[in-house]
């Protein structure tokens, strides 16, 4: 996780500050070929990705599948940051709901990705 966070910070460095529309992207909607990420200019958007230990414990994921899901999310975060999209990547022991409520209180309204 430490290497990922460093790589993400490097890609986000120098991005212009400003108002962005924040979009929550679930782990099964990781695409910029459809939906808001395909239609809007990258510098107007921010994406929120949530990695939840609680979610991983609620389903009988095979360890390799879980590793693939997390790797996909992290790779997608790095791709979006490279495009100029602001990225907020939250790793939590809690639920998605708790993470989303906390971030929404900070960033304002969130839109959910629906590709």
């Amino acid at each position: 996780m430490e290497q990922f966070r460093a790589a993400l910070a490097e890609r986000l460095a120098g991005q212009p500050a400003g108002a962005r529309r924040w979009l929550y992207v679930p782990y099964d909607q990781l695409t910029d070929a459809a939906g808001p990420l395909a239609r809007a200019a990258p510098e107007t958007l921010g994406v929120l990705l949530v990695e939840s230990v609680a979610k991983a414990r609620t389903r009988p994921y095979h360890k390799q599948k879980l590793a693939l899901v997390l790797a996909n999310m992290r790779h997608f975060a790095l791709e979006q940051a490279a495009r100029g999209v602001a990225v907020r990547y939250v790793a939590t022991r809690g639920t998605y709901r708790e993470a989303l409520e906390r971030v929404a209180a900070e960033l304002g309204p969130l839109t959910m990705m629906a590709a």
Side-chain angles (χ1 to χ4, degrees), residues 5 19 37 53 87 97 104:
R5 291 229 183 255
L37 287 171
V53 173
V87 176
R97 180 183 179 149

Side-chain angles (χ1 to χ4, degrees), residues 55-87:
K55 172 68 173 175
R57 288 185 177 152
T58 63
R59 302 194 56 170
Y61 283 109
H62 188 282
K63 289 179 184 180
Q64 290 175 334
K65 179 177 180 173
L66 186 56
L68 181 62
V69 167
L70 297 178
N72 284 342
M73 284 179 44
R74 293 174 184 180
H75 186 76
F76 183 75
L78 294 173
E79 285 178 347
Q80 295 312 303
R83 288 182 57 222
V85 175
V87 176

